[in-house]
Amino acid sequence: CGCKGIRSCLLCEGPAQAAPPLQLFPQGEDNFTYCPATGLAVGNEHSEFAGWAFPFPGVFLMEEFISEEEESEIVELMDRDDWKPSQSGRRKQDYGPKVNFKKQRLKPGSFSGLPSFSKKIVAQMEACSVLGGFSPVEQCNLDYRPERGSAIDPHFDDCWLWGERLVTLNLLSQTVLSMSCDSEGSIQLFPTSSKENGERSPHGPLPAGSDAGQERMNCPEPPRLVPCREVRVGIALARRSLLVLRGAARYGWKHGIHRHHIRRRRLGLTFRELSAEFSPGGAQEELGRELLAIALSFQGRPV
C-alpha cells in the first residue's frame, strides 16, 4: 500500500474484519447533517444536538450532475489508465503540475493536461451558478474501496496554489464528507420548531415583516453556544452528485471521509482552480497562464 507515517489501511493493518451495518451518521462521528434545501447544519436525531441547527454557508450540492450512461463511460475510461497506491487505502490518478507545497515551488513537469473525458464535465460545470469563470488547472481522481479500508483524514486543501472553489464529482456509490473545525471559537445554535407541514426551521435572524415573529417569541429556548471542536457536520454525497466547497466551508472547516462511510467502490474526481497569486494580476500570472493552457488542452495522462 502507499501508507506512510501514522496513516494506515486494511492492507497494512491485517485481514479485514466483517464490516458493521452502514450508519451514515454513527454516534461519536458527525452530529449534524447538512441540509441542501435550507443551507443549515441540523442536529442529528440521536445526538445531543437534536432540535438545534446553525447556518452552514459555502456548500453547493447538485444531484444527478451526470447520467448513468455518462458515469459508466467515465469510469471505463479512467480504468484504462494506471492507478497508483496512495495513503489510507486509496489509489490515485493525478493530472496536474509537479508541486512542492512546503517550499512553495512548482513546474509543469510531465503535466500534459486534464484527461480528454473531463472536457465535457468542465463544460457542464458552466451551468452551475457558483462556478462562473471556473477554470480547473488540476484534477485528482481517488479510488476508495472497503476491502482496503479507504479513507482520508480531515484536512485543508492548500491555499497557496489552489483557489477558493474545490469541486468534486462523486461516482459509483454514496458516501459522506465529514466537516470538522479546530477553531477555539464557538458556534451559535438556534432551536428548531415543527411546523404544520412537518418541516423544521431555525429560530435565527428573521427578515423584516416576517410572520414568524410571534413563533420566535414563544420559543422557550434561547440560542446556544457550543465549542467549534464539538461540532461535526456530515454532507451526504449521492452517486453522480457534484459538490462545491467555497468560502467558510473551504477555509474554516476541514473535510475528510471516514472508513466506515465507504461500503462499495467509490470514485472522487476533484477539480481545483488557481489562487489569486497565479491568476491575472497576480505575482505569478505568467506561470498560471502556462499551466491553464496545458490543463485545458484536455490531452493529459496521469503524472
Side-chain angles (χ1 to χ4, degrees):
C1 67
C3 295
K4 301 176 183 177
I6 63 172
R7 294 175 177 84
S8 66
C9 66
L10 291 178
L11 298 180
C12 57
E13 291 172 11
Q17 302 298 317
L22 176 61
Q23 296 180 353
L24 287 184
F25 304 105
Q27 187 175 8
E29 295 294 342
D30 304 318
N31 43 31
F32 284 81
T33 301
Y34 176 73
C35 174
T38 62
L40 300 172
V42 181
N44 291 333
E45 181 179 355
H46 300 295
S47 79
E48 62 177 304
F49 301 114
W52 297 87
F54 67 97
F56 198 79
V59 177
F60 174 84
L61 190 60
M62 176 183 287
E63 295 191 1
E64 299 293 336
F65 180 74
I66 60 173
S67 66
E68 292 186 27
E69 292 75 16
E70 290 171 321
E71 178 188 48
S72 296
E73 180 181 2
I74 291 170
V75 173
E76 194 274 330
L77 291 171
M78 291 173 67
D79 283 340
R80 291 183 184 179
D81 285 318
D82 293 333
W83 290 91
K84 294 182 179 179
S86 186
Q87 301 197 62
S88 301
R90 305 185 307 272
R91 295 192 304 167
K92 65 180 180 179
Q93 294 175 339
D94 284 326
Y95 299 84
K98 186 176 182 180
V99 186
N100 186 321
F101 290 105
K102 290 185 177 180
K103 296 182 179 180
Q104 294 193 343
R105 296 176 182 172
L106 79 155
K107 56 184 178 180
S110 58
F111 179 40
S112 55
L114 303 188
S116 58
F117 64 79
S118 291
K119 186 172 185 178
K120 184 177 180 181
I121 298 174
V122 173
Q124 289 177 223
M125 289 180 186
E126 296 178 0
C128 299
S129 59
V130 301
L131 290 177
F134 183 77
S135 296
V137 72
E138 192 252 13
Q139 177 178 335
C140 180
N141 303 332
L142 291 176
D143 181 346
Y144 294 73
R145 297 200 189 218
E147 60 268 26
R148 295 198 302 263
S150 300
I152 189 165
D153 293 340
H155 66 282
F156 290 113
D157 277 31
D158 172 77
C159 298
W160 163 68
L161 177 58
W162 310 134
E164 178 173 356
R165 293 168 292 188
L166 306 177
V167 183
T168 298
L169 179 59
N170 186 65
L171 302 182
L172 293 184
S173 66
Q174 68 175 3
T175 191
V176 175
L177 189 72
S178 298
M179 312 292 289
S180 57
C181 184
D182 293 337
S183 170
E184 296 293 340
S186 298
I187 294 175
Q188 187 175 37
L189 309 180
F190 295 97
T192 56
S193 63
S194 297
K195 294 183 177 182
E196 292 181 0
N197 61 6
E199 297 179 352
R200 302 178 70 86
S201 64
H203 287 283
L206 299 174
S210 172
D211 293 332
Q214 187 62 41
E215 180 184 5
R216 177 175 179 179
M217 291 174 60
N218 294 334
C219 177
E221 296 180 273
R224 172 183 175 186
L225 285 178
V226 298
C228 293
R229 295 176 182 269
E230 295 182 7
V231 174
R232 299 170 300 279
V233 181
I235 303 175
L237 303 182
R239 183 175 178 176
R240 297 187 302 280
S241 63
L242 186 80
L243 172 73
V244 181
L245 298 181
R246 55 181 180 152
R250 157 75 160 108
Y251 298 114
W253 293 79
K254 291 182 178 180
H255 58 275
I257 294 180
H258 298 299
R259 178 182 291 181
H260 57 259
H261 286 147
I262 300 298
R263 306 298 294 188
R264 289 169 292 280
R265 188 187 187 195
R266 179 254 175 181
L267 297 180
L269 287 64
T270 296
F271 300 82
R272 299 178 176 94
E273 63 184 346
L274 289 169
S275 66
E277 181 173 340
F278 297 87
S279 300
Q284 302 197 60
E285 173 185 358
E286 185 174 345
L287 177 55
R289 187 182 303 112
E290 177 186 356
L291 293 174
L292 272 177
I294 296 173
L296 301 181
S297 70
F298 295 103
Q299 299 176 359
R301 297 292 303 273
V303 296

